[in-house]
Amino acid sequence: MTDKPKPHNFILENRSKLILSGVHEVGSFNETEIVAYTTQGELRIKGKELQVVAVSVESGDMEITGKIYSSAYTDNTERVPNNFITKLFK
């Protein structure tokens, strides 16, 4: 039996609080950019003073606060390691 992917929701409140579901991994984060891998693709959130307030591996829920300037998806649903060896064999 194949597992159904978790539903993905993106709820942005006043451009200062973002609630996500369907997150299966957080790739990287700092005060200006957060990369999350969701069931709908890679999600890049850009802003200022960004903080990951809560994240649950079991439920796939995530909460981000800060000044959110932009968000963008790619079709990449799996994290690809970004290292020297990976670049060498491209």
Side-chain angles (χ1 to χ4, degrees):
M1 188 159 121
T2 306
D3 289 336
K4 258 177 80 173
K6 294 179 183 177
H8 174 61
N9 292 298
F10 180 107
I11 302 167
L12 181 60
E13 298 176 1
N14 297 319
R15 292 183 61 186
S16 62
K17 180 179 179 182
L18 177 60
I19 300 169
L20 299 169
S21 64
V23 175
H24 55 82
E25 185 175 351
V26 178
S28 64
F29 62 92
N30 59 45
E31 290 185 345
T32 60
E33 182 178 48
I34 297 172
V35 178
Y37 294 88
T38 75
T39 57
Q40 297 298 307
E42 177 186 285
L43 173 61
R44 290 185 178 266
I45 298 127
K46 294 187 179 185
K48 186 176 179 183
E49 301 170 357
L50 298 177
Q51 294 182 344
V52 176
V53 177
V55 64
S56 171
V57 176
E58 293 82 30
S59 67
D61 296 334
M62 182 175 183
E63 183 178 329
I64 298 167
T65 61
K67 296 175 184 171
I68 298 167
Y69 297 148
S70 69
S71 62
Y73 286 93
T74 66
D75 286 337
N76 182 17
T77 57
E78 297 297 322
R79 181 174 183 196
V80 177
N82 188 13
N83 60 36
F84 176 75
I85 301 297
T86 303
K87 291 177 184 178
L88 184 65
F89 289 105
K90 277 190 170 182

